[in-house]
């Protein structure tokens, strides 16, 4: 189990480093939108792989019996999630939106250069549309960031709920064992009570026999 968890961690670190490296290689000012799209798609695939690896690590950690080791690995997984969100998810969303804005701006500029018959009112409408699109992209980026943060919080809540469930199951098992011990104690007490009563009857019988014997001896003398 530990070996499999180590394998997932190694794959995570390798994929994470490649994703960060690709993100740093993107140059939005180069004008090569197609190449940027390809790189962004590769990083998106890396992000999906990293999320899947984290889920696999969570499954492995939840099956660990040692509580101290489990808590330690859960903390490590939480750090991995933070790194993924901070260094890949958020930068990826921002670069994707910025690249889209650059493409739209280039298309507008190309359109303006190729068609000199467009009047100033139409150009103004196009620029306003570009501004609206830019604002929408920013809102989408903010919403995506909130969604990513919410996803991280939800995952942490799920881990806590699973841990609490395991604690409750262990407590219930302990109660079952304690109930079994109580039943055994009751049976033992009942057995001791029966033996005590039997010993009392035997003692009374012995005393009665002794009294009767004494009376017979006295009777024989008189």
């Amino acid at each position: 189990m530990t070996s499999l968890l180590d394998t997932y961690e190694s794959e995570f670190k390798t994929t994470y480093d490649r994703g960060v490296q690709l993100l740093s290689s993107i140059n939005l000012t180069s004008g090569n939108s197609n190449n940027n799209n390809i790189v962004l798609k590769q990083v998106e695939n890396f992000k999906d792989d990293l999320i899947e690896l984290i889920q696999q690590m969570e499954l492995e950690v939840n099956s660990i019996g040692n509580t101290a080791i489990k808590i330690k690995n859960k903390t490590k997984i939480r750090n991995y999630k933070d790194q993924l969100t901070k260094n890949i998810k958020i930068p990826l969303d921002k670069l994707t939106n910025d690249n889209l804005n650059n493409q739209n701006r280039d298309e507008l500029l190309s359109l303006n250069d190729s068609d000199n018959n467009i009047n100033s009112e139409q150009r103004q409408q196009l620029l306003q549309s570009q501004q609206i699109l830019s604002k929408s992209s920013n809102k989408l980026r903010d919403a995506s960031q909130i969604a990513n943060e919410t996803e991280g919080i939800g995952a942490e809540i799920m881990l806590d709920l699973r841990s609490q469930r395991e604690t409750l199951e262990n407590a219930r098992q302990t109660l079952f064992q304690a109930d079994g011990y109580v039943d055994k104690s009751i049976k033992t007490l009942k057995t001791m009570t029966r033996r005590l009563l039997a010993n009392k009857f035997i003692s009374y019988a012995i005393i009665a026999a002794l009294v009767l014997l004494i009376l017979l001896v006295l009777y024989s003398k008189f």
Side-chain angles (χ1 to χ4, degrees):
M1 182 184 304
T2 303
S3 177
L4 187 57
L5 182 60
D6 292 339
T7 300
Y8 289 143
E9 285 191 67
S10 178
E11 291 180 5
F12 178 90
K13 292 177 181 177
T14 301
T15 306
Y16 172 83
D17 291 339
R18 292 176 64 188
V20 172
Q21 183 179 4
L22 281 176
L23 282 174
S24 64
S25 68
I26 296 176
N27 185 5
L28 296 180
T29 61
S30 65
N32 194 346
S33 299
N34 291 332
N35 183 65
N36 289 335
N37 287 333
I38 294 174
V39 176
L40 289 171
K41 182 62 177 176
Q42 290 177 342
V43 177
E44 182 73 26
N45 293 333
F46 285 154
K47 184 194 74 173
D48 294 338
D49 292 340
L50 290 171
I51 293 174
E52 184 177 355
L53 286 170
I54 287 177
Q55 293 173 347
Q56 293 296 330
M57 284 190 284
E58 287 177 343
L59 291 175
E60 291 298 318
V61 169
N62 288 330
S63 63
I64 296 176
N66 189 305
T67 303
I69 297 178
K70 181 183 293 186
I71 294 174
K72 178 180 178 181
N73 282 282
K74 283 185 176 181
T75 302
K76 189 184 298 183
I77 291 175
R78 189 176 294 110
N79 292 333
Y80 288 155
K81 288 182 178 179
D82 292 339
Q83 292 176 8
L84 174 59
T85 300
K86 179 180 179 181
N87 298 325
I88 290 185
K89 282 185 177 181
I90 295 177
L92 176 62
D93 292 337
K94 183 178 184 303
L95 288 172
T96 300
N97 291 328
D98 291 344
N99 188 55
L100 178 61
N101 290 335
N102 287 343
Q103 288 179 339
N104 292 331
R105 185 171 61 253
D106 292 341
E107 291 176 359
L108 287 174
L109 292 175
S110 175
L111 180 62
N112 288 331
D113 292 339
S114 62
D115 190 1
N116 294 322
N117 295 324
I118 297 178
N119 57 41
S120 59
E121 182 179 354
Q122 290 174 323
R123 286 198 298 270
Q124 184 64 27
Q125 289 178 349
L126 288 174
L127 291 175
Q128 290 177 353
S129 299
Q130 169 64 19
Q131 291 176 354
I132 294 173
L133 179 60
S134 178
K135 291 180 180 179
S136 299
S137 298
N138 292 333
K139 290 181 180 180
L140 179 61
R141 182 181 61 197
D142 294 339
S144 177
Q145 181 177 352
I146 294 173
N148 290 331
E149 293 175 353
T150 304
E151 179 184 356
I153 294 173
E156 292 181 2
I157 292 174
M158 288 298 297
L159 284 175
D160 292 337
L161 289 176
R162 288 177 182 173
S163 178
Q164 292 176 8
R165 178 182 178 185
E166 292 175 359
T167 302
L168 290 175
E169 289 179 351
N170 293 333
R172 183 174 62 179
Q173 186 65 28
T174 302
L175 287 176
F176 286 155
Q177 293 177 354
D179 187 56
Y181 293 146
V182 171
D183 290 339
K184 290 180 180 179
S185 299
I186 292 174
K187 291 179 181 179
T188 302
L189 289 174
K190 288 182 178 179
T191 302
M192 293 175 64
T193 301
R194 286 195 297 269
R195 290 180 180 177
L196 181 60
L197 290 174
N199 290 335
K200 283 185 178 181
F201 288 138
I202 293 173
S203 298
Y204 291 153
I206 293 173
I207 292 172
L210 290 174
V211 171
L212 181 60
L213 182 60
I214 292 172
L215 291 175
L216 289 174
V217 171
L218 293 174
Y219 178 76
S220 64
K221 287 185 178 181
F222 294 100

